[in-house]
Amino acid sequence: MTLKAQLKGLDTITAQQMGGVMVQLQPIPGEVPVIQVSIEGREELPIFVTCSDTQILCMCYLWAEAEVQPGRRMEMLETMLDLNPSVPLSSFGRVGDRYVLFGALARNARVEDVAQDIVALSDNALDALDALSEFLK
Amino acid sequence: MSVIRKMMTLLRGSAREISESVLDANATRIYEQEILDAKHSIDEARASLTGVMAKEMQSAREIERLKKEVERYEGLALEALEKSQEGLAEEVAGRVGALELELEEQSKAHAAYAVQVVKLKDMIKSAEARIREHEREIAMAKTTESVYRATRSISDTIGSSGSKLLDARQSLERIKQRHEDLADRMQAAEALDKELGHKALEAKLAEAGIGNYGDRGRKALERIKAKRAAAAQETAEKGE
């Protein structure tokens, strides 16, 4: 099943789970399927949903390497590593030079599960950005 | 076990390299063929395992039977000796010897079957592990590729639409500002409601003593006084 077909109704279900905020889906053109999820009031922190043969990944880009205070980089990395097991459903990671928060689901996950992951990810990302911004320039 | 180490080496390359060729088509094909081969050898091993285990069980039963036979003939030989039938006893002892030889052979066969069972089970385990490792490697490589390709598409799209990814601080400030705006709006709406809304109208009417909103306390007292007066009059009338 294509990612788009699998995620049919994701906007409505995510909106419901967040108490009726507006949620918009937008496909991103490219070699791999990517769907951008924009949540009302958090437009600056969109969630991107993509997939491989085995997984569905929901990602939120937090900040770039260049934004980190060089003197506090190690401390930040350790904090993220320590936080990883505690943050519900989401993990910190890095793709290229961008730090991300992401959640992974089985390739055949239900749209409700993807929505739940997106809601958790959005809340976690906002929270993480607030808490960890002390390490940024 | 070596899958993560391979990924570590790979990830030292540039992001562009990773998104282009984590796992080339040829390597994928080789892995997929190896997975197929391993699955095939598992099927074969499972089939022979069933046969060997059946033989192992048969030989165990045969060993039991032979042991009982040896015991029985030994008993018979003893009986013959007690009855001084020396010749018969010797004949029976010959039978015991033959049975013992058979027992020895059966035991050897049984041990060989047991060894084979262990070997086949180990083979299945290692083939399963090999499949899991290949599948994990393919999954990891493909997921890495997808993530890097997706990130490239996202950067390209955002880049081409003219807007750029805001830095984290800016994003956070904007979101926070919006939340504060919302909180302010809610507070303002409440204040406005107090001033102009339903509550304000009620308050004004009560102040003017209009409608249902007039001086309830005073009215209630009047009602109670009237009741008391009526009761007093009734008592006076009875007294007459």
Side-chain angles (χ1 to χ4, degrees), chain A residues 19-129:
Chain A
V21 299
M22 287 268 289
V23 176
Q24 281 185 314
L25 305 183
Q26 197 190 345
I28 301 277
E31 297 156 288
V32 291
V34 183
I35 291 168
Q36 177 174 348
V37 183
S38 299
I39 297 167
E40 181 192 357
R42 299 172 176 187
E43 287 83 354
E44 289 80 3
L45 276 178
I47 311 284
F48 296 95
V49 185
T50 185
C51 69
S52 67
D53 292 356
T54 50
Q55 291 185 79
I56 288 183
L57 281 169
C58 306
M59 284 198 294
C60 183
Y61 295 88
L62 296 174
W63 54 78
E65 197 67 80
E67 293 173 54
V68 180
Q69 288 179 35
R72 300 197 65 194
R73 187 167 174 275
M74 186 58 81
E75 196 188 339
M76 180 195 80
L77 293 175
E78 286 190 351
T79 307
M80 288 165 98
L81 216 46
D82 291 341
L83 282 172
N84 249 351
S86 317
V87 183
L89 298 183
S90 318
S91 309
F92 290 105
R94 193 174 62 170
V95 180
D97 68 342
R98 286 185 191 287
Y99 288 90
V100 297
L101 197 67
F102 70 96
L105 295 105
R107 181 63 185 84
N108 58 359
R110 298 176 314 148
V111 64
E112 289 83 0
D113 298 326
V114 180
Q116 188 193 16
D117 203 74
I118 287 173
V119 173
L121 187 57
S122 179
D123 290 343
N124 289 333
L126 193 55
D127 198 2
L129 207 57

Side-chain angles (χ1 to χ4, degrees), chain A residues 31 41 44 61 67 133 137, chain B residues 142-143 151-152 168-169 178:
Chain A
E31 297 156 288
E44 289 80 3
Y61 295 88
E67 293 173 54
S133 64
K137 285 173 188 165
Chain B
K142 285 193 173 167
T143 300
T151 300
R152 200 167 62 180
R169 262 191 198 291
R178 216 178 280 125

Side-chain angles (χ1 to χ4, degrees), chain B residues 2-224:
Chain B
S2 60
V3 179
I4 287 182
R5 180 158 296 140
K6 279 187 199 163
M7 290 308 303
M8 280 162 64
T9 314
L10 240 159
L11 286 170
R12 290 196 186 110
S14 75
R16 184 154 288 272
E17 270 167 26
I18 296 165
S19 71
E20 267 157 23
S21 60
V22 167
L23 200 63
D24 61 54
N26 200 34
T28 311
R29 212 163 33 241
I30 290 167
Y31 281 137
E32 279 165 357
Q33 187 57 49
E34 277 182 33
I35 290 171
L36 276 182
D37 291 348
K39 280 186 176 160
H40 185 64
S41 65
I42 286 173
D43 287 345
E44 277 183 352
R46 286 234 162 93
S48 9
L49 186 61
T50 324
V52 175
M53 280 170 85
K55 281 184 186 158
E56 192 191 15
M57 265 150 49
Q58 277 165 15
S59 73
R61 271 201 302 274
E62 186 61 11
I63 286 168
E64 272 315 296
R65 189 188 67 81
L66 287 168
K67 276 183 180 164
K68 274 187 192 140
E69 283 285 278
V70 168
E71 227 171 275
R72 192 167 75 86
Y73 278 103
E74 273 178 356
L76 289 173
L78 208 62
E79 228 173 290
L81 279 178
E82 273 163 10
K83 289 185 175 159
S84 303
Q85 299 271 358
E86 197 74 29
L88 196 57
E90 228 168 89
E91 211 177 308
V92 175
R95 180 84 189 107
V96 169
L99 280 169
E100 276 176 347
L101 200 66
E102 216 181 314
L103 185 60
E104 206 174 299
E105 269 164 27
Q106 255 332 311
S107 299
K108 271 187 202 157
H110 183 78
Y113 291 142
V115 168
Q116 222 176 329
V117 165
V118 171
K119 218 170 90 184
L120 284 169
K121 281 184 175 171
D122 284 349
M123 236 178 79
I124 293 171
K125 272 184 226 157
S126 86
E128 292 281 13
R130 208 159 64 236
I131 292 175
R132 279 206 312 277
E133 186 172 320
H134 285 325
E135 282 179 344
R136 209 155 60 91
E137 178 148 11
I138 292 177
M140 243 193 244
K142 285 193 173 167
T143 300
T144 307
E145 209 170 75
S146 290
V147 167
Y148 277 78
R149 282 185 178 174
T151 300
R152 200 167 62 180
S153 310
I154 292 159
S155 313
D156 288 352
T157 303
I158 290 166
S160 69
S161 70
S163 61
K164 87 185 219 324
L165 272 177
L166 291 172
D167 71 40
R169 262 191 198 291
Q170 278 176 296
S171 303
L172 185 62
E173 288 315 317
R174 284 206 191 183
I175 294 168
K176 273 188 174 170
Q177 187 60 52
R178 216 178 280 125
H179 275 255
E180 275 165 28
D181 288 352
L182 180 67
D184 288 350
R185 267 213 307 280
M186 281 169 71
Q187 215 177 347
E190 209 175 315
L192 206 63
D193 187 47
K194 261 190 202 144
E195 208 175 320
L196 300 172
H198 193 56
K199 283 179 192 159
L201 189 61
E202 275 183 33
K204 278 181 194 162
L205 285 170
E207 217 172 304
I210 294 170
N212 230 353
Y213 307 102
D215 190 348
R216 279 180 175 271
R218 190 178 48 80
K219 282 184 182 164
L221 191 62
E222 274 172 14
R223 205 168 57 237
I224 292 161

